[in-house]
Amino acid sequence: MSLPSDLHYLEMHELSLLIRSRKLSPVEVTEAQLDRIDALDGELHSYARVTAELALEQAHVAEQELADGICRSPLHGIPLAFKDLFDTAGVVTAAGMPLHAQRVPTQDATVVARLREAGVVMLGKLQMTEGAFAIHHPDIAVPLNPWGSNHWSGASSSGCGVATAAGLCYASLGSDTGGSIRFPCAANGLTGLKPTWGRVSRHGAFEMAASLDHIGPITRSARDALFLLSTIAGHDPLDPTSQPTVCLEVPGIDDTFRGLRVGIDERWLSDGVDPVIQQALQQVMLMIRDGGGLLVSIRMPDTQAVSSNWEAHCGVQTAVAHADTYPLHANAYGPALSRLIDAGRALSGMDYQRILLAAQRFSGEADALLHQLDLVLAPVQPYAAPTYEQLADLAQDPEANRRLIQFTAPFNVSGHPCLSLPIGLTEEGLPIGGQFIARKGAEALLCRAGMAVQRVSHWHQLRPQGFS
């Protein structure tokens, strides 16, 4: 059969049905993806490296296995791409750092191994900020947001957001230490899941801040996010912090709000939040009510301390993660990551203990609140579709910078799962992101809420103009 004109924008669960019914082959799908990457990524810079030869080899294997009646998983034969901090055997993993441009792992990260076992085709490694902090290394081309090149593409999983939004992979695997799955999803009109800390193994993932790092999917729908999470989640003996539980399967998930209690803190959602984001959240509240959910007025625990402390909290752990190469190779580091590590190394033990106590307090208060509810609704960020110029101005204002992460970083500190999803557009036609937050271990509930929104809306189906 001829290839669909929107082949590159199919959701994974749609593509899976076409591949398993033999209406599409993994080889032709992979070839189409590689052609699209070749045509568009010279402009977008989303890939750190494309593994075309390996991808075609894996696609041929998948095609033969499926022809022989062997189906490894619903993901069998689907082309994905990975953020360049996941170890991939025989393929450079540089974590956005020229210092590691020749680093070739001999083993796969656990999440990569699980996806390979599931029959996924690896298109390549996606570009990211230096060491997964806020800024790209000066020698690295910044991935361009396909919705508008002057607008932020999100950090640190910038390449993941750009490639998935532009149809250069069907989904991607990212990481989130202060918002780095959720920011690219908000910027690029995507759906991303930051799981509960420990839900997904971190073995073989380049470390930024061990207690804050989360690994999760960046996709085009909540159904696809759960689709991917169900493959990568679960205990890993190589990561003793990983939890023994696994995620629920996709077919068992309801896609309505019926009976769900959703917490709304009107003050938190409006204080310093752009009006267009507030209006978009009101639309989601209507969907919740109309779908049989109950909106519950709540008071969120104070996020100011944990968001103010996040950079110092992260900096200490990042300094530990880079101890073998910094300050020994400090001249190879960019200014932003150097500043973070220097600040972490300079922080006193007593000051760090105060940060940990504030984190424990917030985590306990958030646990208590979320056990009384099913979900909490929040923005991803208070500023709608910021430009790079606006971000540069924010960087000069510590309070504005704290506000940028006030809805994301606290839940890296507490370890609670969050689902980011598109909830509207600005007047200029740029995506707006919102998120649901849930108690630990409730990823399936988050995806149910995302599917409920996406069942009655079309925001997740919108595509950037000029990249059809």
Side-chain angles (χ1 to χ4, degrees):
M1 77 181 262
S2 60
L3 299 181
S5 60
D6 63 346
L7 173 64
H8 46 277
Y9 279 139
L10 292 178
E11 293 176 26
M12 281 194 302
H13 67 272
E14 297 171 325
L15 181 62
S16 175
L17 292 174
L18 292 171
I19 288 176
R20 284 185 287 162
S21 65
R22 309 295 301 280
K23 293 178 180 177
L24 287 175
S25 81
V27 172
E28 61 188 357
V29 172
T30 300
E31 288 175 339
Q33 284 282 272
L34 292 171
D35 287 346
R36 187 169 174 85
I37 293 167
D38 188 56
L40 298 178
D41 206 52
E43 175 186 353
L44 293 174
H45 310 299
S46 65
Y47 276 83
R49 61 199 56 83
V50 179
T51 53
E53 185 176 336
L54 177 60
L56 287 171
E57 177 185 323
Q58 292 174 339
H60 279 286
V61 170
E63 187 162 313
Q64 185 59 57
E65 288 180 336
L66 289 163
D68 292 341
I70 301 168
C71 183
R72 292 177 175 269
S73 78
L75 295 172
H76 202 169
I78 295 181
L80 305 182
F82 307 140
K83 185 175 180 176
D84 196 28
L85 54 61
F86 298 111
D87 281 354
T88 42
V91 178
V92 169
T93 300
M97 301 178 66
L99 175 66
H100 297 308
Q102 305 303 318
R103 179 179 175 271
V104 180
T106 57
Q107 293 183 317
D108 287 330
T110 295
V111 287
V112 173
R114 286 178 175 173
L115 288 170
R116 288 199 185 190
E117 181 61 28
V120 160
V121 172
M122 184 178 81
L123 294 169
K125 307 296 287 294
L126 295 166
Q127 197 53 270
M128 56 180 285
T129 56
E130 185 185 14
F133 187 44
I135 306 295
H136 295 83
H137 189 279
D139 294 343
I140 299 251
V142 178
L144 297 183
N145 188 329
W147 291 83
S149 59
N150 292 326
H151 291 265
W152 193 34
S153 56
S156 64
S157 307
S158 51
C160 294
V162 171
T164 308
L168 306 187
C169 58
Y170 286 95
S172 51
L173 201 60
S175 67
D176 190 313
T177 304
S180 295
I181 286 173
R182 290 161 289 167
F183 287 139
C185 286
N188 292 281
L190 300 170
T191 302
L193 181 59
K194 181 195 81 67
T196 307
W197 189 81
R199 174 71 99 174
V200 178
S201 170
R202 291 176 293 110
H203 176 74
F206 191 93
E207 184 177 302
M208 182 185 179
S211 76
L212 307 176
D213 293 345
H214 298 63
I215 292 168
I218 291 179
T219 63
R220 299 192 186 115
S221 70
R223 186 175 295 276
D224 275 3
L226 188 56
F227 210 52
L228 190 47
L229 182 68
S230 64
T231 301
I232 62 174
H235 180 65
D236 174 17
L238 297 174
D239 177 3
T241 68
S242 64
Q243 298 176 358
T245 52
V246 296
C247 197
L248 293 176
E249 293 296 329
V250 176
I253 304 299
D254 186 8
D255 63 353
T256 74
F257 284 106
R258 194 178 305 113
L260 296 184
R261 293 167 52 85
V262 183
I264 305 293
D265 183 335
E266 295 282 2
R267 175 194 56 82
W268 191 49
L269 300 185
S270 61
D271 184 17
V273 176
D274 286 355
V276 67
I277 298 178
Q278 295 182 46
Q279 293 163 11
L281 290 169
Q282 289 294 331
Q283 286 290 106
V284 177
M285 291 180 209
L286 286 174
M287 292 177 182
I288 294 168
R289 273 201 296 260
D290 291 346
L294 177 65
L295 298 178
V296 181
S297 180
I298 63 167
R299 186 66 179 263
M300 277 297 296
D302 184 10
T303 62
Q304 181 162 351
V306 284
S307 53
S308 296
N309 290 341
W310 178 85
E311 190 164 311
H313 193 163
C314 183
V316 172
Q317 297 189 43
T318 305
V320 172
H322 288 257
D324 289 343
T325 54
Y326 193 97
L328 181 63
H329 300 291
N331 61 339
Y333 280 67
L337 187 56
S338 293
R339 177 182 57 77
L340 178 73
I341 293 174
D342 286 338
R345 292 171 66 91
L347 196 72
S348 75
M350 289 184 65
D351 285 340
Y352 189 54
Q353 174 63 4
R354 293 186 183 99
I355 288 171
L356 293 179
L357 290 172
Q360 290 174 339
R361 185 178 307 112
F362 174 79
S363 298
E365 291 171 349
D367 271 337
L369 174 67
L370 287 162
H371 273 95
Q372 300 171 28
L373 303 161
D374 294 299
L375 303 162
V376 169
L377 177 65
V380 170
Q381 61 202 37
Y383 313 117
T387 64
Y388 282 105
E389 291 76 14
Q390 289 171 319
L391 286 173
D393 291 340
L394 291 178
Q396 307 306 312
D397 182 349
E399 175 58 17
N401 205 35
R402 180 199 70 77
R403 285 184 179 276
L404 178 64
I405 64 171
Q406 70 175 323
F407 297 108
T408 55
F411 304 101
N412 292 90
V413 171
S414 68
H416 289 94
C418 308
L419 180 85
S420 171
L421 71 168
I423 60 170
L425 297 173
T426 66
E427 290 184 0
E428 295 78 21
L430 293 156
I432 297 170
Q435 66 176 330
F436 289 107
I437 304 153
R439 62 184 174 273
K440 292 170 184 173
E443 287 86 358
L445 191 58
L446 287 173
C447 291
R448 172 184 169 184
M451 287 188 277
V453 170
Q454 291 172 353
R455 185 171 64 87
V456 297
S457 68
H458 68 289
W459 297 311
H460 68 295
Q461 296 171 331
L462 299 176
R463 307 298 177 221
Q465 295 183 358
F467 294 92
S468 59

